[in-house]
């Protein structure tokens, strides 16, 4: 099921977490300068783009704007130059690979504001594309300085934000600009917003969440938001140990934040009050150390030994999770269920991922997942393409899962 590719047209109104915005197809674009915020903060190896996923993510919006006859002016940040010109952090190396992917020339301007930018933008023909230098070379970017936003806006007639992954930051190019020009989400941004809305804003019920990963402490806001919204929440990974410990189980030498036992109990109480059923492991896979192919054992919760490390959910826990997915219409997932980087501790994560991918591709569930390690785990399981949507937005995705308003998204509301 691909509910996310058939984007809505016209005005999109939402009653859930995601707000109202005008879609790009309503914009008057021919001959207009479209300032497009993209995420080109790509991994680099030897001065070259090492992974072009982020460049590819921007292609649909750039191609659409170009086809509509807009002059496409790309704004992006790269690395952390902290408001100063740092030549090694120039975006110039991105122009050529982008041009290859787009199959059209990409002009490069050595500054994102002022005469150097204006000269390149003014030379664009309708449908042409230019990339401006790193917006973070100016201190006004991260300060969301109104004068800097105005200087950026001087090169545009409309503003398009296609960088969901930067939308949790209120910077001039992600937030300030949206107040100065007619503002629209780009196609990737819209796709992400609609997928997230389908998962948590206005989801088909029942909704199940999976939250895993190493620590409760990094996911407190997320857990608190989810238990208030979901019908079921499976907790896995290292953080499940803290919950098991809080329930009085011995977790041996496992990763466990014992000082958060009270917090874990509060979350369990909150879930109960909100009618959210928590699924904690009922059995666990243990080993004496974390290494590939070490001797492992499956233990019931009352069998964990003092020198055991709990490194994965057990088979019975995994089966229960799969059965709970079968009874759900929506799945939202962040965090692996075990130390998936070190087989065989990837088993519960892989079986849950495969099942989610199968249900999603059969149209039985809307399955949305995100988070750095979660994306790796889904790729490792070979199911990323089968999921309804996989967010690569990292911090922005997590803040959205925490129920926070993302400034870059809120500013598009119109
Ligand atoms: P994401 O990046 O998707 O948000 P996290 O960073 O929260 O996910 O969690 C991923 C990490 O959690 C992985 O490195 C994984 O090895 C670790 N992890 C999962 N289960 C356990 C466990 N039982 N003990 C220790 N670490 C674990
Ligand atoms: Mg991580």
């Amino acid at each position: 099921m691909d509910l996310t590719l058939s984007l809505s047209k016209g005005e999109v109104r939402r009653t859930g977490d995601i707000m109202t915005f005008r879609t790009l197809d309503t914009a008057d674009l021919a001959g207009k300068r479209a300032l497009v915020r993209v995420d080109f903060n790509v991994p680099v190896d030897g001065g070259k783009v090492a992974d072009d996923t982020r460049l590819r993510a921007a292609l649909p919006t750039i191609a659409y704007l170009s086809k509509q006859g807009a002059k496409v002016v790309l704004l992006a940040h790269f690395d952390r130059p902290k408001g100063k010109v740092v030549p090694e952090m120039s975006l110039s190396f991105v122009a050529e690979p982008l041009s290859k992917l787009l199959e059209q020339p990409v002009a490069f301007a050595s500054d994102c504001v002022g005469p150097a930018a204006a000269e390149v933008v003014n030379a664009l023909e309708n449908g042409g594309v230019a990339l401006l230098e790193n917006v973070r070379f100016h201190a006004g970017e991260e300060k969301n300085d109104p004068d800097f936003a105005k200087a950026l806006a001087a090169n545009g007639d409309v503003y398009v934000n296609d960088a969901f992954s930067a939308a949790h930051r209120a910077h001039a190019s992600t937030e300030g600009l949206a107040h100065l020009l007619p503002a629209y989400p780009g196609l990737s941004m819209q796709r992400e917003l609609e997928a997230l809305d389908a998962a948590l804003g206005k989801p088909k019920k029942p909704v199940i969440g999976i939250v895993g990963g190493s620590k409760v402490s990094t996911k407190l806001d997320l857990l608190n938001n989810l238990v208030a919204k979901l019908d079921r929440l499976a907790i896995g990974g290292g953080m499940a140990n803290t919950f098991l410990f809080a329930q009085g189980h011995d977790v041996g030498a496992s990763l466990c934040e014992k000082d958060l036992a009270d917090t874990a109990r509060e979350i369990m109480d909150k879930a109960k009050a909100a009618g959210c059923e928590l699924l904690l492991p009922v059995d666990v896979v243990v080993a004496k150390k974390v290494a590939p192919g070490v001797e492992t054992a499956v233990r019931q919760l009352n069998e964990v030994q003092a020198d055991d490390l709990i490194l994965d959910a057990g088979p019975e826990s995994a089966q229960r999770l799969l059965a709970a997915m079968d009874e759900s219409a929506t799945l939202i997932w962040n965090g692996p269920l075990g130390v998936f980087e070190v087989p065989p501790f990837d088993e519960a994560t892989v079986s849950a991922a495969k099942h989610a991918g199968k249900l999603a591709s059969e149209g039985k569930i809307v399955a949305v997942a995100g988070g750095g390690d979660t994306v790796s785990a889904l790729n490792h399981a070979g199911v990323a393409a089968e999921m309804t949507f996989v967010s690569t937005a990292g911090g922005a995705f997590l803040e959205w899962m925490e129920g926070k308003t993302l400034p870059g998204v809120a500013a598009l509301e119109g």
Side-chain angles (χ1 to χ4, degrees):
M1 176 168 53
D2 196 326
L3 87 168
T4 57
L5 267 181
S6 54
L7 296 179
S8 312
K9 300 242 185 247
E11 197 176 62
V12 176
R13 288 200 174 275
R14 299 281 171 188
T15 49
D17 284 352
I18 304 300
M19 47 278 296
T20 307
F21 53 87
R22 282 164 299 175
T23 56
L24 199 50
D25 58 286
T26 64
D28 176 16
L29 295 165
K32 299 281 163 59
R33 297 165 303 165
L35 271 177
V36 191
R37 179 58 156 96
V38 289
D39 182 355
F40 284 173
N41 198 22
V42 290
V44 183
D45 190 11
K48 296 229 183 301
V49 176
D51 177 345
D52 64 5
T53 307
R54 286 181 161 167
L55 304 188
R56 287 175 189 278
L59 298 181
T61 298
I62 300 173
Y64 176 80
L65 293 168
S66 176
K67 202 164 159 235
Q68 300 298 312
K71 298 168 182 178
V72 186
V73 182
L74 304 172
L75 295 174
H77 78 272
F78 180 67
D79 216 328
R80 291 164 189 259
K82 303 206 170 132
K84 290 195 184 68
V85 177
V86 180
E88 307 82 73
M89 294 180 192
S90 169
L91 266 171
S92 57
F93 75 105
V94 168
E96 194 198 306
L98 178 65
S99 159
K100 282 209 178 112
L101 289 170
L102 273 173
E103 297 177 355
Q104 75 175 95
V106 174
F108 183 75
S110 60
D111 199 351
C112 61
V113 290
E119 194 182 319
V120 169
V121 172
N122 293 339
L124 284 177
E125 312 221 339
N126 290 356
V129 180
L131 171 64
L132 308 188
E133 183 58 287
N134 197 341
V135 287
R136 290 194 186 167
F137 280 1
H138 293 266
E141 165 65 3
E142 293 187 64
K143 287 188 189 136
N144 200 3
D145 174 52
D147 290 332
F148 179 67
K150 266 187 215 145
L152 289 173
N155 287 310
D157 303 302
V158 298
Y159 168 70
V160 179
N161 190 348
D162 210 23
F164 178 82
S165 49
H168 56 318
R169 311 262 186 244
H171 294 171
S173 70
T174 62
E175 203 274 345
L177 263 179
H179 302 293
L180 300 175
L181 296 171
Y184 303 87
L187 301 177
S188 292
M189 168 76 99
Q190 188 185 342
R191 183 167 186 249
E192 179 122 16
L193 293 179
E194 297 200 356
L196 300 188
D197 194 55
L200 205 55
K202 260 191 131 194
K204 286 201 197 101
K205 292 196 146 240
V207 190
I208 184 167
I210 302 176
V211 176
S214 44
K215 289 180 170 180
V216 174
S217 52
T218 59
K219 301 212 171 159
L220 279 177
D221 290 343
L222 195 149
L223 290 165
N224 275 307
N225 187 41
L226 292 186
V227 294
K229 287 190 177 153
L230 307 186
D231 301 296
R232 284 202 185 91
L233 178 63
I235 297 179
M239 71 166 67
N241 300 337
T242 302
F243 282 86
L244 294 175
F245 174 76
Q247 287 184 326
H249 297 290
D250 192 346
V251 296
S254 309
L255 177 68
C256 177
E257 292 167 289
K258 297 191 171 161
D259 53 326
L260 289 183
D262 284 339
T263 306
R265 279 188 285 269
E266 277 162 31
I267 292 169
M268 290 190 273
D269 289 345
K270 191 171 168 184
K272 197 167 182 198
C276 171
E277 182 193 348
L278 285 187
L279 297 175
L280 284 163
V282 290
D283 58 347
V284 291
V285 176
V286 302
K288 303 299 178 194
K289 61 175 181 177
V290 190
V294 289
E295 197 184 320
T296 67
V298 174
R299 304 244 197 266
Q300 300 303 303
L301 295 179
N302 58 2
E303 297 171 349
V304 177
Q305 297 171 11
D307 58 349
D308 277 346
L309 295 170
I310 299 173
L311 298 171
D312 198 10
E316 201 186 323
S317 309
Q319 277 312 315
R320 278 185 23 180
L321 176 55
L322 268 45
M325 281 188 208
D326 289 337
E327 291 169 19
S328 303
T330 303
L331 165 69
I332 171 87
W333 185 352
N334 167 259
L337 297 172
V339 183
F340 74 98
E341 302 95 330
V342 188
F345 308 110
D346 59 343
E347 277 181 18
T349 304
V350 168
S351 75
K354 286 196 167 150
H355 199 64
K358 179 170 173 288
L359 292 174
S361 56
E362 289 170 351
K364 292 182 178 155
I365 201 167
V366 171
V368 173
D373 292 292
T374 308
V375 175
S376 307
L378 294 172
N379 285 329
H380 169 71
V383 300
E386 290 173 32
M387 303 290 281
T388 310
F389 187 78
V390 177
S391 175
T392 54
F397 176 82
L398 287 175
E399 287 198 22
W400 166 80
M401 262 185 102
E402 290 167 356
K404 294 188 179 141
T405 299
L406 308 183
V409 174
L412 296 174
E413 195 172 10

